[in-house]
Amino acid sequence: MGSYLVGVGRGILDCLIKLDLSGQEIRVVLVIIRESPPTLSKIVSLLGCSKARCSRIVKKLVFMKIVTVDEDISGVKKTFVVNENTAQWMNVYKKRYEKTVDNKSNG
């Protein structure tokens, strides 16, 4: 199990520990670290949750700048990587993001 995390810096893991992320959000980040760079389909297949749920989680992690999106030239295939610049991660904006999503859903 430890061999998957050999390339992950302790700083990234230390920052993940300090974040207020849900269990599913942590699992998505771990899949992205392990399978880097996975597609959304790969994340869905490994976690066994719905594509819609995984998509919402990934969007939240991208909003928080924990995860970045890489697109191929055609813009069709997207892959995800953990943002190694942990200073950019925005844990304090988690509640603000959720309010933004709730407002869009209600309006």
Side-chain angles (χ1 to χ4, degrees):
M1 183 167 124
S3 63
Y4 293 120
L5 299 176
V6 169
V8 179
R10 289 185 79 167
I12 288 178
L13 293 178
D14 290 343
C15 288
L16 281 173
I17 290 167
K18 293 176 185 175
L19 291 177
D20 184 24
L21 297 176
S22 72
Q24 285 187 323
E25 291 165 351
I26 288 287
R27 289 176 64 210
V28 168
V29 173
L30 291 175
V31 167
I32 291 170
I33 290 170
R34 181 176 182 246
E35 298 292 323
S36 196
T39 61
L40 184 61
S41 298
K42 183 70 170 180
I43 296 169
V44 167
S45 69
L46 288 172
L47 294 182
C49 61
S50 72
K51 186 175 181 178
R53 177 70 182 137
C54 281
S55 179
R56 282 193 303 272
I57 293 169
V58 169
K59 284 179 184 176
K60 183 185 291 187
L61 294 170
V62 169
F63 179 84
M64 295 169 68
K65 298 186 180 181
I66 296 168
V67 171
T68 59
V69 182
D70 289 334
E71 293 185 26
D72 66 0
I73 293 174
S74 66
V76 174
K77 183 179 179 185
K78 295 181 181 180
T79 56
F80 306 96
V81 294
V82 172
N83 179 4
E84 293 182 13
N85 185 351
T86 57
Q88 294 178 348
W89 293 10
M90 296 189 297
N91 188 43
V92 294
Y93 293 107
K94 182 177 180 183
K95 290 181 180 158
R96 179 177 166 194
Y97 172 81
E98 289 170 351
K99 287 179 185 176
T100 303
V101 171
D102 288 344
N103 288 340
K104 288 181 180 177
S105 299
N106 294 332

XYZ file of all heavy atoms in Angstrom:
833
model
N 0.819 -1.195 0.000
C 0.000 0.000 0.000
C 0.861 1.256 0.000
O 0.567 2.205 -0.682
C -0.922 -0.004 1.220
C -1.848 1.185 1.250
S -3.140 0.944 2.463
C -2.904 2.375 3.440
N 1.937 1.286 0.770
C 2.779 2.462 0.861
C 3.458 2.818 -0.437
O 3.824 3.965 -0.650
N 3.632 1.851 -1.337
C 4.339 2.126 -2.586
C 3.608 3.137 -3.458
O 4.222 3.848 -4.226
C 4.561 0.826 -3.366
O 3.322 0.258 -3.718
N 2.290 3.219 -3.350
C 1.540 4.190 -4.139
C 1.849 5.622 -3.714
O 1.755 6.543 -4.486
C 0.036 3.960 -4.019
C -0.444 2.680 -4.632
C -1.078 1.726 -3.865
C -0.263 2.433 -5.980
C -1.526 0.544 -4.435
C -0.699 1.252 -6.555
C -1.332 0.320 -5.779
O -1.770 -0.838 -6.336
N 2.180 5.798 -2.446
C 2.351 7.138 -1.912
C 3.805 7.586 -1.860
O 4.106 8.632 -1.308
C 1.738 7.226 -0.508
C 0.245 6.936 -0.448
C -0.239 6.953 0.989
C -0.547 7.923 -1.278
N 4.708 6.802 -2.456
C 6.124 7.143 -2.419
C 6.376 8.512 -3.026
O 7.132 9.310 -2.491
C 6.968 6.063 -3.141
C 8.395 6.526 -3.340
C 6.928 4.775 -2.347
N 5.715 8.839 -4.130
C 5.941 10.109 -4.815
C 5.218 11.294 -4.207
O 5.409 12.419 -4.634
N 4.385 11.060 -3.208
C 3.612 12.145 -2.607
C 4.430 12.755 -1.472
O 4.858 12.063 -0.563
C 2.268 11.625 -2.053
C 1.492 12.758 -1.407
C 1.460 10.985 -3.154
N 4.609 14.065 -1.539
C 5.359 14.740 -0.493
C 4.608 14.753 0.816
O 3.372 14.773 0.848
N 5.363 14.743 1.899
C 4.734 14.789 3.221
C 3.941 16.076 3.393
O 2.942 16.099 4.106
C 5.798 14.676 4.307
C 6.391 13.291 4.374
C 7.339 13.200 5.513
N 6.545 13.025 6.731
C 7.059 12.655 7.881
N 8.338 12.444 7.983
N 6.299 12.514 8.941
N 4.360 17.146 2.749
C 3.643 18.414 2.860
C 2.218 18.299 2.356
O 1.292 18.851 2.959
N 2.034 17.585 1.258
C 0.685 17.402 0.713
C -0.161 16.596 1.686
O -1.299 16.951 1.979
C 0.734 16.736 -0.677
C 1.268 17.736 -1.697
C -0.635 16.214 -1.094
C 1.418 17.198 -3.094
N 0.394 15.508 2.204
C -0.366 14.692 3.147
C -0.661 15.463 4.432
O -1.766 15.371 4.973
C 0.387 13.400 3.459
C 0.524 12.437 2.283
C 1.329 11.219 2.693
C -0.828 12.024 1.744
N 0.307 16.233 4.909
C 0.078 17.046 6.113
C -1.050 18.047 5.889
O -1.903 18.246 6.759
C 1.357 17.787 6.522
C 2.427 16.849 7.076
O 2.090 15.702 7.443
O 3.592 17.277 7.124
N -1.077 18.668 4.724
C -2.141 19.632 4.413
C -3.495 18.942 4.285
O -4.509 19.478 4.731
C -1.805 20.406 3.143
S -0.482 21.591 3.388
N -3.537 17.762 3.684
C -4.792 17.021 3.561
C -5.356 16.681 4.935
O -6.569 16.746 5.157
C -4.594 15.738 2.755
C -4.535 15.894 1.249
C -4.168 14.576 0.591
C -5.852 16.405 0.707
N -4.484 16.314 5.859
C -4.925 15.972 7.209
C -5.596 17.164 7.875
O -6.575 17.015 8.607
C -3.731 15.465 8.044
C -3.290 14.101 7.524
C -4.063 15.405 9.531
C -1.948 13.636 8.061
N -5.092 18.359 7.614
C -5.611 19.568 8.266
C -6.912 20.079 7.655
O -7.616 20.877 8.262
C -4.557 20.677 8.202
C -3.332 20.361 9.028
C -2.282 21.426 8.848
C -1.001 21.035 9.582
N 0.074 21.993 9.338
N -7.238 19.635 6.450
C -8.429 20.138 5.770
C -9.708 19.554 6.347
O -9.733 18.446 6.864
C -8.372 19.805 4.276
C -7.328 20.524 3.452
C -7.375 20.030 2.021
C -7.540 22.016 3.503
N -10.769 20.308 6.204
C -12.097 19.874 6.641
C -12.818 19.265 5.439
O -13.756 19.850 4.907
C -12.869 21.068 7.206
C -14.215 20.673 7.771
O -14.385 19.489 8.139
O -15.103 21.534 7.830
N -12.341 18.091 5.010
C -12.937 17.418 3.861
C -13.782 16.239 4.321
O -13.479 15.621 5.338
C -11.847 16.906 2.913
C -10.949 17.944 2.253
C -9.868 17.262 1.424
C -11.743 18.901 1.398
N -14.816 15.929 3.546
C -15.640 14.761 3.852
C -14.857 13.494 3.489
O -13.833 13.548 2.806
C -16.937 14.806 3.041
O -16.673 14.531 1.673
N -15.371 12.377 3.920
C -14.740 11.097 3.603
C -14.661 10.852 2.109
O -13.635 10.391 1.596
N -15.738 11.171 1.384
C -15.733 10.967 -0.063
C -14.740 11.902 -0.744
O -14.091 11.526 -1.715
C -17.128 11.152 -0.649
C -18.038 9.980 -0.372
C -19.352 10.106 -1.111
O -19.902 11.194 -1.255
N -19.877 8.983 -1.562
N -14.628 13.128 -0.248
C -13.670 14.070 -0.837
C -12.239 13.564 -0.645
O -11.439 13.608 -1.578
C -13.848 15.455 -0.218
C -15.148 16.115 -0.619
C -15.532 17.301 0.245
O -14.896 17.557 1.295
O -16.508 17.986 -0.126
N -11.937 13.053 0.543
C -10.609 12.484 0.800
C -10.360 11.292 -0.112
O -9.283 11.145 -0.684
C -10.462 12.060 2.287
C -10.364 13.278 3.182
C -9.256 11.150 2.487
C -9.059 14.021 3.120
N -11.361 10.439 -0.275
C -11.212 9.259 -1.140
C -10.937 9.676 -2.584
O -10.104 9.067 -3.257
C -12.462 8.384 -1.056
C -12.574 7.671 0.292
C -13.847 6.878 0.421
N -13.869 5.800 -0.566
C -14.984 5.313 -1.099
N -16.159 5.788 -0.756
N -14.925 4.333 -1.973
N -11.615 10.713 -3.061
C -11.370 11.190 -4.430
C -9.937 11.702 -4.560
O -9.236 11.378 -5.522
C -12.390 12.274 -4.844
C -11.960 12.974 -6.131
C -13.770 11.660 -5.016
N -9.473 12.472 -3.587
C -8.096 12.974 -3.623
C -7.115 11.808 -3.627
O -6.139 11.800 -4.395
C -7.803 13.934 -2.442
C -6.325 14.300 -2.398
C -8.643 15.196 -2.559
N -7.372 10.792 -2.813
C -6.472 9.631 -2.771
C -6.460 8.875 -4.094
O -5.402 8.418 -4.535
C -6.856 8.709 -1.610
C -6.582 9.267 -0.217
C -7.115 8.322 0.853
C -5.101 9.537 -0.012
N -7.615 8.765 -4.745
C -7.657 8.128 -6.064
C -6.846 8.942 -7.064
O -6.089 8.382 -7.871
C -9.114 7.945 -6.562
C -9.153 7.596 -8.037
C -9.811 6.878 -5.746
N -6.971 10.253 -7.005
C -6.226 11.114 -7.923
C -4.724 10.965 -7.682
O -3.937 10.900 -8.629
C -6.684 12.575 -7.798
C -8.109 12.712 -8.342
C -5.731 13.520 -8.536
C -8.774 14.044 -8.069
N -4.320 10.860 -6.426
C -2.903 10.651 -6.116
C -2.447 9.289 -6.632
O -1.413 9.170 -7.277
C -2.654 10.765 -4.595
C -2.814 12.218 -4.140
C -1.272 10.239 -4.229
C -2.829 12.398 -2.627
N -3.229 8.269 -6.358
C -2.847 6.897 -6.715
C -2.832 6.661 -8.217
O -1.941 6.014 -8.748
C -3.811 5.912 -6.060
C -3.476 4.472 -6.358
C -4.410 3.546 -5.606
N -4.063 2.172 -5.868
C -4.847 1.324 -6.525
N -6.017 1.718 -6.959
N -4.466 0.092 -6.732
N -3.819 7.167 -8.914
C -3.985 6.897 -10.340
C -3.563 8.064 -11.215
O -3.939 8.120 -12.375
C -5.452 6.563 -10.638
C -5.968 5.346 -9.940
C -5.323 4.074 -10.440
O -5.054 3.955 -11.650
O -5.089 3.185 -9.601
N -2.836 8.984 -10.666
C -2.545 10.252 -11.333
C -1.986 10.044 -12.733
O -1.016 9.319 -12.900
C -1.567 11.066 -10.491
O -1.554 12.390 -10.919
N -2.584 10.668 -13.723
C -3.802 11.482 -13.688
C -5.020 10.674 -14.149
O -5.067 10.227 -15.282
C -3.495 12.605 -14.671
C -2.609 11.976 -15.701
C -1.855 10.874 -14.983
N -6.007 10.491 -13.303
C -7.190 9.740 -13.714
C -8.220 10.601 -14.429
O -8.232 11.816 -14.290
C -7.765 9.253 -12.380
C -7.441 10.376 -11.454
C -6.078 10.886 -11.913
N -9.078 9.939 -15.172
C -10.247 10.594 -15.751
C -11.399 10.460 -14.750
O -11.311 9.693 -13.791
C -10.667 9.915 -17.070
O -10.996 8.547 -16.786
C -9.567 9.983 -18.120
N -12.485 11.170 -14.992
C -13.656 11.057 -14.133
C -14.186 9.626 -14.146
O -14.569 9.092 -13.104
C -14.743 12.046 -14.563
C -15.980 12.095 -13.676
C -15.613 12.507 -12.247
C -17.009 13.044 -14.257
N -14.173 8.990 -15.303
C -14.647 7.604 -15.405
C -13.837 6.669 -14.524
O -14.386 5.754 -13.902
C -14.582 7.118 -16.856
O -15.416 7.890 -17.661
N -12.536 6.877 -14.467
C -11.666 6.043 -13.636
C -11.985 6.258 -12.156
O -12.049 5.310 -11.376
C -10.200 6.374 -13.925
C -9.223 5.525 -13.163
C -9.242 4.100 -13.673
C -8.095 3.312 -13.065
N -8.077 1.936 -13.529
N -12.214 7.500 -11.763
C -12.570 7.807 -10.374
C -13.884 7.120 -10.015
O -14.005 6.487 -8.968
C -12.661 9.330 -10.150
C -11.293 9.989 -10.360
C -13.196 9.648 -8.752
C -11.318 11.509 -10.413
N -14.866 7.215 -10.913
C -16.174 6.592 -10.685
C -16.014 5.086 -10.525
O -16.563 4.482 -9.589
C -17.144 6.911 -11.849
C -18.387 6.038 -11.795
C -17.513 8.383 -11.836
N -15.240 4.457 -11.392
C -15.101 2.993 -11.339
C -14.374 2.543 -10.073
O -14.718 1.519 -9.491
C -14.394 2.463 -12.585
O -13.039 2.846 -12.600
N -13.398 3.304 -9.615
C -12.661 2.912 -8.418
C -13.447 3.152 -7.132
O -13.329 2.388 -6.181
C -11.319 3.641 -8.348
C -10.277 3.163 -9.355
C -9.058 4.072 -9.340
C -9.861 1.738 -9.053
N -14.255 4.204 -7.098
C -15.007 4.520 -5.885
C -16.382 3.863 -5.845
O -16.965 3.706 -4.781
C -15.165 6.033 -5.720
C -13.882 6.804 -5.461
C -14.181 8.280 -5.268
C -13.156 6.255 -4.239
N -16.914 3.530 -7.007
C -18.213 2.887 -7.046
C -19.374 3.809 -6.713
O -20.433 3.347 -6.299
N -19.182 5.114 -6.865
C -20.304 6.032 -6.657
C -20.764 6.561 -8.016
O -20.130 6.313 -9.037
C -19.936 7.162 -5.698
S -18.594 8.219 -6.216
N -21.857 7.277 -8.027
C -22.415 7.744 -9.288
C -21.504 8.783 -9.949
O -20.749 9.488 -9.273
C -23.802 8.347 -9.071
O -23.692 9.593 -8.411
N -21.629 8.875 -11.265
C -20.846 9.861 -12.002
C -21.210 11.273 -11.567
O -20.336 12.133 -11.445
C -21.068 9.680 -13.509
C -20.198 10.560 -14.359
C -20.360 10.248 -15.841
C -19.454 11.132 -16.660
N -19.544 10.831 -18.091
N -22.485 11.514 -11.326
C -22.937 12.853 -10.899
C -22.306 13.224 -9.562
O -21.839 14.349 -9.381
C -24.454 12.890 -10.806
N -22.285 12.288 -8.616
C -21.705 12.562 -7.290
C -20.203 12.817 -7.408
O -19.677 13.764 -6.830
C -21.983 11.384 -6.343
C -21.365 11.549 -4.967
C -22.070 12.639 -4.174
N -21.424 12.796 -2.887
C -21.147 13.962 -2.338
N -21.507 15.079 -2.922
N -20.547 14.034 -1.184
N -19.502 11.972 -8.158
C -18.056 12.167 -8.348
C -17.775 13.498 -9.025
O -16.831 14.196 -8.659
C -17.462 11.019 -9.158
S -17.173 9.537 -8.195
N -18.587 13.858 -9.983
C -18.409 15.123 -10.690
C -18.548 16.302 -9.737
O -17.757 17.249 -9.778
C -19.422 15.232 -11.827
O -19.267 16.451 -12.503
N -19.557 16.255 -8.861
C -19.742 17.334 -7.872
C -18.542 17.431 -6.930
O -18.081 18.525 -6.619
C -21.024 17.123 -7.065
C -22.279 17.518 -7.799
C -23.493 17.588 -6.884
N -23.774 16.352 -6.181
C -24.526 15.364 -6.656
N -25.073 15.480 -7.859
N -24.746 14.281 -5.953
N -18.041 16.292 -6.491
C -16.895 16.283 -5.578
C -15.666 16.860 -6.273
O -14.962 17.701 -5.704
C -16.618 14.862 -5.055
C -17.755 14.402 -4.155
C -15.288 14.808 -4.314
C -17.710 12.926 -3.795
N -15.412 16.420 -7.501
C -14.246 16.915 -8.240
C -14.367 18.424 -8.469
O -13.395 19.164 -8.293
C -14.056 16.148 -9.567
C -13.036 16.828 -10.454
C -13.643 14.709 -9.288
N -15.555 18.892 -8.844
C -15.748 20.330 -9.049
C -15.464 21.118 -7.779
O -14.872 22.189 -7.820
C -17.177 20.622 -9.541
C -17.387 20.278 -10.982
C -18.814 20.560 -11.409
C -19.044 20.111 -12.833
N -20.435 20.281 -13.247
N -15.889 20.591 -6.638
C -15.635 21.256 -5.367
C -14.125 21.306 -5.087
O -13.592 22.329 -4.682
C -16.346 20.530 -4.233
C -16.180 21.228 -2.888
C -16.785 20.443 -1.747
C -18.290 20.414 -1.809
N -18.891 19.791 -0.614
N -13.429 20.185 -5.333
C -11.983 20.135 -5.105
C -11.233 21.064 -6.058
O -10.233 21.674 -5.677
C -11.477 18.696 -5.232
C -11.979 17.722 -4.154
C -11.624 16.293 -4.530
C -11.453 18.084 -2.782
N -11.731 21.206 -7.280
C -11.132 22.143 -8.237
C -11.379 23.574 -7.763
O -10.470 24.409 -7.789
C -11.683 21.917 -9.663
C -11.279 23.042 -10.599
C -11.195 20.579 -10.211
N -12.594 23.864 -7.321
C -12.916 25.194 -6.794
C -12.005 25.561 -5.634
O -11.552 26.693 -5.513
C -14.381 25.251 -6.351
C -14.783 26.569 -5.770
C -15.164 27.618 -6.590
C -14.774 26.775 -4.400
C -15.534 28.848 -6.058
C -15.144 27.999 -3.856
C -15.516 29.040 -4.690
N -11.728 24.568 -4.781
C -10.871 24.787 -3.618
C -9.380 24.789 -3.982
O -8.544 24.979 -3.122
C -11.160 23.718 -2.556
C -12.564 23.806 -1.995
S -13.025 22.371 -0.998
C -11.945 22.560 0.394
N -9.088 24.573 -5.254
C -7.729 24.558 -5.794
C -6.868 23.441 -5.218
O -5.646 23.509 -5.247
C -7.059 25.917 -5.626
C -7.778 27.016 -6.385
C -7.050 28.311 -6.332
C -7.836 29.355 -7.119
N -7.201 30.638 -7.141
N -7.497 22.379 -4.736
C -6.776 21.203 -4.274
C -6.439 20.333 -5.476
O -5.401 19.691 -5.518
C -7.623 20.424 -3.243
C -7.850 21.292 -2.004
C -6.976 19.091 -2.880
C -8.883 20.753 -1.053
N -7.323 20.346 -6.450
C -7.171 19.553 -7.671
C -7.187 20.490 -8.866
O -7.915 21.487 -8.871
C -8.324 18.518 -7.777
C -8.340 17.829 -9.124
C -8.224 17.497 -6.645
N -6.371 20.177 -9.860
C -6.389 20.939 -11.110
C -6.811 20.017 -12.250
O -6.679 18.800 -12.162
C -5.011 21.561 -11.425
O -4.040 20.518 -11.522
C -4.589 22.537 -10.347
N -7.328 20.619 -13.304
C -7.830 19.885 -14.464
C -6.864 20.051 -15.617
O -6.450 21.167 -15.931
C -9.219 20.412 -14.895
C -9.760 19.622 -16.065
C -10.188 20.409 -13.731
N -6.516 18.943 -16.242
C -5.725 18.966 -17.465
C -6.614 18.463 -18.596
O -7.252 17.417 -18.469
C -4.493 18.058 -17.351
C -3.440 18.604 -16.411
O -3.386 19.833 -16.230
O -2.676 17.795 -15.858
N -6.673 19.225 -19.692
C -7.471 18.810 -20.849
C -6.546 18.499 -22.011
O -5.510 19.141 -22.180
C -8.433 19.922 -21.263
C -9.506 20.199 -20.247
C -10.516 21.225 -20.727
O -10.702 21.366 -21.953
O -11.118 21.882 -19.873
N -6.953 17.513 -22.824
C -6.168 17.259 -24.027
C -6.438 18.363 -25.039
O -7.255 19.250 -24.817
C -6.458 15.869 -24.600
C -7.878 15.705 -25.115
O -8.667 16.668 -25.035
O -8.198 14.621 -25.610
N -5.762 18.334 -26.151
C -5.852 19.400 -27.151
C -7.289 19.606 -27.634
O -7.728 20.730 -27.830
C -4.913 19.105 -28.348
C -3.463 19.177 -27.870
C -5.145 20.080 -29.485
C -2.444 18.757 -28.906
N -8.038 18.517 -27.774
C -9.413 18.626 -28.269
C -10.367 19.138 -27.187
O -11.483 19.543 -27.493
C -9.902 17.269 -28.764
O -9.995 16.363 -27.686
N -9.923 19.103 -25.931
C -10.787 19.544 -24.842
C -11.807 18.511 -24.430
O -12.663 18.769 -23.591
N -11.721 17.315 -25.015
C -12.692 16.267 -24.733
C -12.299 15.467 -23.488
O -13.102 15.243 -22.602
C -12.836 15.313 -25.943
C -13.737 14.146 -25.617
C -13.359 16.085 -27.140
N -11.045 15.054 -23.412
C -10.593 14.209 -22.309
C -9.981 15.068 -21.210
O -9.011 15.785 -21.435
C -9.572 13.184 -22.796
C -9.121 12.226 -21.731
C -8.142 11.218 -22.264
C -7.683 10.289 -21.182
N -6.643 9.387 -21.650
N -10.564 14.979 -20.024
C -10.053 15.715 -18.871
C -9.443 14.724 -17.891
O -10.003 13.666 -17.631
C -11.175 16.482 -18.169
C -11.779 17.578 -18.993
C -12.859 18.288 -18.216
C -13.483 19.387 -19.049
N -14.542 20.093 -18.337
N -8.292 15.099 -17.357
C -7.682 14.327 -16.286
C -7.442 15.266 -15.112
O -7.470 16.487 -15.266
C -6.362 13.679 -16.729
O -5.481 14.684 -17.216
C -6.596 12.633 -17.810
N -7.205 14.684 -13.954
C -7.119 15.471 -12.728
C -5.825 15.166 -11.990
O -5.399 14.016 -11.935
C -8.329 15.173 -11.837
C -9.625 15.365 -12.557
C -10.284 14.301 -13.144
C -10.171 16.628 -12.685
C -11.470 14.486 -13.836
C -11.355 16.830 -13.376
C -12.001 15.757 -13.950
N -5.211 16.198 -11.439
C -3.997 16.048 -10.640
C -4.136 16.896 -9.377
O -4.854 17.893 -9.362
C -2.721 16.455 -11.410
C -2.447 15.524 -12.576
C -2.803 17.883 -11.895
N -3.428 16.483 -8.331
C -3.416 17.260 -7.091
C -2.497 18.459 -7.290
O -1.387 18.333 -7.802
C -2.949 16.393 -5.907
C -2.747 17.235 -4.659
C -3.946 15.282 -5.633
N -2.983 19.619 -6.903
C -2.207 20.848 -6.973
C -1.120 20.778 -5.900
O -1.413 20.747 -4.713
C -3.120 22.054 -6.731
C -2.390 23.367 -6.766
O -1.197 23.443 -7.033
N -3.114 24.432 -6.481
N 0.129 20.726 -6.325
C 1.233 20.591 -5.375
C 1.520 21.881 -4.618
O 2.209 21.857 -3.605
C 2.485 20.103 -6.100
C 2.343 18.683 -6.613
C 3.591 18.171 -7.289
O 4.661 18.799 -7.163
O 3.489 17.126 -7.943
N 0.990 22.999 -5.088
C 1.167 24.274 -4.391
C 0.080 24.389 -3.326
O -0.963 24.997 -3.536
C 1.104 25.437 -5.377
C 1.411 26.767 -4.722
O 1.510 26.870 -3.510
N 1.543 27.791 -5.540
N 0.358 23.821 -2.165
C -0.657 23.759 -1.109
C -1.027 25.140 -0.560
O -2.085 25.290 0.040
C -0.193 22.853 0.049
O 1.050 23.343 0.551
C -0.029 21.419 -0.428
N -0.190 26.133 -0.798
C -0.511 27.496 -0.355
C -1.745 28.033 -1.093
O -2.417 28.932 -0.588
C 0.684 28.419 -0.577
N -2.054 27.476 -2.258
C -3.219 27.915 -3.035
C -4.509 27.237 -2.575
O -5.594 27.675 -2.947
C -3.006 27.621 -4.518
C -1.902 28.416 -5.151
C -1.705 28.047 -6.620
O -2.240 27.052 -7.102
N -0.935 28.856 -7.314
N -4.407 26.184 -1.815
C -5.601 25.459 -1.375
C -6.475 26.365 -0.527
O -5.989 27.091 0.326
C -5.218 24.232 -0.571
C -4.517 23.154 -1.352
C -4.026 23.241 -2.624
C -4.199 21.853 -0.889
N -3.431 22.065 -2.978
C -3.523 21.194 -1.926
C -4.419 21.185 0.300
C -3.071 19.882 -1.812
C -3.968 19.886 0.414
C -3.312 19.244 -0.628
N -7.785 26.316 -0.754
C -8.708 27.226 -0.078
C -9.710 26.469 0.789
O -10.871 26.338 0.442
C -9.452 28.075 -1.097
C -8.563 28.998 -1.884
S -9.472 30.175 -2.879
C -10.354 29.103 -4.003
N -9.283 26.000 1.915
C -10.182 25.302 2.828
C -11.238 26.237 3.404
O -12.371 25.848 3.604
C -9.390 24.652 3.959
C -10.255 23.762 4.823
O -11.064 23.008 4.323
N -10.085 23.870 6.113
N -10.875 27.484 3.640
C -11.813 28.423 4.260
C -12.999 28.737 3.357
O -14.019 29.208 3.831
C -11.117 29.741 4.669
C -10.121 29.504 5.774
C -10.450 30.399 3.481
N -12.899 28.457 2.083
C -13.973 28.772 1.150
C -14.933 27.609 0.929
O -15.841 27.695 0.127
C -13.402 29.236 -0.187
C -12.690 30.559 -0.072
C -11.308 30.631 -0.122
C -13.403 31.732 0.118
C -10.654 31.840 0.005
C -12.751 32.950 0.250
C -11.383 32.992 0.190
O -10.746 34.188 0.324
N -14.745 26.523 1.661
C -15.604 25.358 1.474
C -17.071 25.719 1.681
O -17.917 25.403 0.870
C -15.189 24.233 2.420
C -16.009 22.986 2.249
C -15.521 21.880 3.153
C -16.370 20.653 2.933
N -16.003 19.568 3.805
N -17.394 26.399 2.773
C -18.787 26.761 3.058
C -19.310 27.754 2.035
O -20.459 27.690 1.633
C -18.896 27.307 4.475
C -18.681 26.235 5.509
C -18.807 26.746 6.906
C -18.557 25.562 7.838
N -18.168 25.924 9.139
N -18.464 28.670 1.585
C -18.879 29.645 0.570
C -19.249 28.928 -0.718
O -20.240 29.247 -1.363
C -17.739 30.630 0.326
C -18.049 31.667 -0.717
C -16.898 32.644 -0.827
N -17.052 33.416 -2.031
C -16.115 34.153 -2.552
N -14.959 34.250 -1.975
N -16.316 34.814 -3.655
N -18.452 27.916 -1.116
C -18.740 27.146 -2.317
C -20.093 26.448 -2.181
O -20.907 26.478 -3.087
C -17.645 26.105 -2.577
C -17.990 25.155 -3.695
C -17.802 25.527 -5.025
C -18.547 23.907 -3.445
C -18.130 24.677 -6.054
C -18.881 23.057 -4.467
C -18.674 23.434 -5.766
O -19.011 22.598 -6.788
N -20.324 25.817 -1.031
C -21.581 25.095 -0.827
C -22.775 26.043 -0.915
O -23.803 25.695 -1.477
C -21.549 24.370 0.514
C -20.593 23.187 0.491
C -20.350 22.573 1.851
O -20.773 23.154 2.865
O -19.715 21.511 1.875
N -22.642 27.266 -0.385
C -23.725 28.249 -0.485
C -23.961 28.636 -1.939
O -25.088 28.782 -2.374
C -23.397 29.493 0.348
C -23.508 29.274 1.828
C -23.153 30.539 2.589
C -23.152 30.272 4.082
N -22.717 31.441 4.841
N -22.876 28.789 -2.719
C -22.994 29.131 -4.131
C -23.734 28.046 -4.886
O -24.637 28.313 -5.669
C -21.598 29.338 -4.760
O -20.897 30.354 -4.018
C -21.685 29.750 -6.208
N -23.390 26.785 -4.619
C -24.052 25.649 -5.279
C -25.520 25.589 -4.865
O -26.389 25.388 -5.705
C -23.319 24.327 -4.946
C -24.119 23.138 -5.430
C -21.939 24.323 -5.574
N -25.802 25.779 -3.566
C -27.196 25.755 -3.104
C -28.017 26.855 -3.746
O -29.167 26.650 -4.124
C -27.245 25.883 -1.582
C -26.763 24.634 -0.869
O -26.668 23.569 -1.517
O -26.483 24.745 0.334
N -27.449 28.065 -3.881
C -28.172 29.173 -4.497
C -28.476 28.890 -5.958
O -29.544 29.237 -6.451
C -27.380 30.475 -4.366
C -27.383 30.994 -2.940
O -28.223 30.628 -2.129
N -26.415 31.839 -2.612
N -27.540 28.265 -6.669
C -27.769 27.919 -8.074
C -28.854 26.859 -8.197
O -29.624 26.860 -9.147
C -26.486 27.454 -8.726
C -25.490 28.587 -8.963
C -24.234 28.089 -9.646
C -23.261 29.228 -9.857
N -22.013 28.770 -10.456
N -28.882 25.922 -7.252
C -29.883 24.847 -7.288
C -31.281 25.388 -7.020
O -32.260 24.904 -7.586
C -29.556 23.782 -6.251
O -28.314 23.207 -6.515
N -31.375 26.393 -6.158
C -32.687 26.933 -5.785
C -33.181 28.016 -6.741
O -34.345 28.358 -6.721
C -32.627 27.533 -4.366
C -32.380 26.477 -3.319
O -32.740 25.328 -3.509
N -31.746 26.862 -2.223
N -32.287 28.570 -7.525
C -32.689 29.701 -8.350
C -32.608 29.456 -9.751
O -33.095 29.154 -10.669
